[in-house]
Amino acid sequence: MKKSRSLGTALLCSSLALASCASSNDDVDTTGGLDGEPIVIGVQSLDTGPVAYPQNTYGAEAAEWYINNEMGGINGQPIELNICSGDGTPETGVKCANSFVKDDMPVVFDAYDGTSMGAMTPILKEAGIPIVGLLAGQAVAESADYGTAFYFSGPLETSALGMVTVLANEGKKTASLALTDAPSSHGYVDDLVVPMGEKLGVDVTGVYVKADNINFQTLAATELDGDPDVAGIIALPEEACTGLLGALRQSGFDGTAFMGSCSQFIEELPGEQAAGAIVQPRLWVPESYEHAPAEVQDQLDSFAEAMEEVGYEDEQSARSLYSFAGLVNLATIMSDIDGEITSESVLEAMKGLKDFPTFAGPTVTCDGEQWPDRPGACSHEGIFFEVQDDGTLKPVDDAGYIDLNP
């Protein structure tokens, strides 16, 4: 069953920490007037609970509208999204995975759920249901046996290596960066960020916080205590990114701010506070429109139109684009399947993907060889932006995407 929710409903669901929620956005017709039995795609989205990213779901709903209304569905058949809401617990992930298996989903789209997908992976793998996403929030799925999962960007290591690479290239030696206090966060910093930083001469300190209860002035003071060259975040919700950067600037920090994949702070903070910050989304995001190639500008226009159609025109963040772009990629690939859409046919289509130009992203090949020990990663490239005085994002490298050396 398709779950479509307004912002008010999403907040209510969050407060109740439910695994699913009734629709309150039924006035938006996403079917495009297409006839026939819909192709149902499972979607796992971390959109409830204390570390919710509702933008994940907003982008998915916009993709459903776009695929049906602008792409003609999948070979004329409408798609329907079965969205299971993660709440930050593995237990909910298990329930969602079992539900997808019971409903015989041909594919499950990972809308960047970094807490539930690890628990879901063995269940979906056993059932032969492929996992597809734009990027993974944890390494379990993308490090599993080839064919378990496919992500249209590099693995977690892309973010870690990309971050320390761009900071090293900027001549930075120390960084103090915040992220959600969770076991996966500690592992990410200890096992990836710190050793990669050491190799490139950047000393990174992780500052762990509970995302639902942040005193931004205290957090800013903690980060600035060691007088770092760089302060900011590795991964926090959009509103926390805005709050922290504002507190850092108010505390007198005029050094380099690293803001992960956040983007909404650019519009929400005065220009002088956001300017100079470095971000590393996996795609060309709306704020990079002015500096993007013409074909990417067309794609970002399509994203903006779809978000407006489903009532989320003010939620055009990196996360909503991740869901949107990833599902559009998936629908494009599924449209090339000759015959019935099943988990087996989707798996074969993903395995055969070579030099595929993704939506607002890199060209990818899903052969399991793009990154060592991460067969689920379909790319080894990254893109990094610096916030300009006018609020636009300009690529740090003129080429846009750059190869990373794993």
Side-chain angles (χ1 to χ4, degrees):
M1 175 181 176
K2 170 178 166 286
K3 304 184 181 92
S4 179
R5 49 180 73 69
S6 66
L7 178 58
T9 304
L11 292 175
L12 176 61
C13 292
S14 177
S15 66
L16 297 177
L18 295 176
S20 62
C21 191
S23 170
S24 66
N25 202 19
D26 290 335
D27 55 326
V28 177
D29 181 11
T30 61
T31 65
L34 298 175
D35 296 325
E37 186 70 19
I39 296 172
V40 184
I41 296 174
V43 176
Q44 181 62 31
S45 178
L46 177 57
D47 62 5
T48 64
V51 293
Y53 293 92
Q55 295 86 1
N56 297 350
T57 294
Y58 302 158
E61 293 177 0
E64 183 178 45
W65 180 91
Y66 180 78
I67 293 165
N68 287 334
N69 285 270
E70 299 296 333
M71 296 175 58
I74 296 177
N75 296 328
Q77 286 184 260
I79 71 155
E80 185 177 288
L81 301 184
N82 182 337
I83 301 176
C84 200
S85 296
D87 60 3
T89 66
E91 291 78 11
T92 294
V94 170
K95 293 178 182 178
C96 289
N98 286 330
S99 175
F100 290 142
V101 172
K102 178 177 178 293
D103 291 340
D104 195 25
M105 296 291 103
V107 60
V108 168
F109 182 79
D110 176 8
Y112 201 11
D113 190 330
T115 57
S116 296
M117 191 52 64
M120 299 175 69
T121 298
I123 299 171
L124 297 174
K125 177 183 177 183
E126 176 67 23
I129 299 175
I131 300 165
V132 175
L134 195 288
L135 76 164
Q138 57 182 204
V140 177
E142 64 186 3
S143 61
D145 295 340
Y146 179 59
T148 302
F150 305 88
Y151 289 93
F152 299 115
S153 67
L156 280 174
E157 288 87 347
T158 303
S159 295
L161 179 57
M163 177 179 68
V164 295
T165 297
V166 73
L167 294 182
N169 290 345
E170 294 286 316
K172 309 303 179 182
K173 299 297 183 184
T174 58
S176 183
L177 303 170
L179 67 168
T180 304
D181 190 4
S184 58
S185 299
H186 287 267
Y188 178 72
V189 171
D190 295 343
D191 299 337
L192 296 177
V193 174
V194 170
M196 288 180 178
E198 289 176 350
K199 286 184 176 292
L200 294 175
V202 182
D203 181 10
V204 181
T205 299
V207 181
Y208 302 95
V209 297
K210 298 295 184 182
D212 59 338
N213 185 28
I214 302 177
N215 183 311
F216 296 114
Q217 293 296 335
T218 300
L219 178 56
T222 301
E223 290 198 353
L224 298 179
D225 184 56
D227 192 25
D229 298 330
V230 182
I233 70 105
I234 291 177
L236 286 177
E238 288 281 355
E239 62 272 14
C241 294
T242 302
L244 175 57
L245 183 55
L248 287 168
R249 296 310 193 201
Q250 291 167 18
S251 299
F253 178 70
D254 59 1
T256 299
F258 186 84
M259 301 306 293
S261 62
C262 288
S263 61
Q264 290 182 352
F265 72 91
I266 301 169
E267 181 177 345
E268 294 168 355
L269 291 176
E272 66 273 10
Q273 293 189 15
I278 295 175
V279 295
Q280 59 166 27
R282 297 300 184 93
L283 303 175
W284 292 91
V285 290
E287 292 80 7
S288 68
Y289 186 96
E290 181 179 319
H291 305 283
E295 63 271 17
V296 173
Q297 291 181 341
D298 291 342
Q299 292 171 331
L300 293 175
D301 285 338
S302 296
F303 170 60
E305 178 191 2
M307 290 291 284
E308 182 176 357
E309 288 288 344
V310 295
Y312 298 129
E313 59 268 26
D314 295 330
E315 296 290 349
Q316 294 181 54
S317 67
R319 280 183 173 266
S320 55
L321 180 58
Y322 292 163
S323 293
F324 181 88
L327 281 164
V328 170
N329 292 337
L330 178 58
T332 301
I333 295 162
M334 291 172 67
S335 294
D336 286 335
I337 293 175
D338 185 14
E340 185 180 0
I341 302 294
T342 65
S343 57
E344 292 84 1
S345 63
V346 173
L347 175 60
E348 290 308 307
M350 293 304 304
K351 284 184 173 181
L353 208 63
K354 183 177 180 181
D355 297 331
F356 175 76
T358 60
F359 189 100
T363 297
V364 304
T365 295
C366 296
D367 59 0
E369 302 293 333
Q370 297 303 305
W371 200 282
D373 302 319
R374 294 293 182 266
C378 296
S379 174
H380 55 268
E381 295 181 313
I383 191 166
F384 314 93
F385 298 95
E386 182 177 358
V387 182
Q388 305 298 295
D389 291 337
D390 62 359
T392 62
L393 291 178
K394 184 178 181 180
V396 172
D397 190 288
D398 290 339
Y401 280 92
I402 60 172
D403 284 336
L404 294 173
N405 182 0

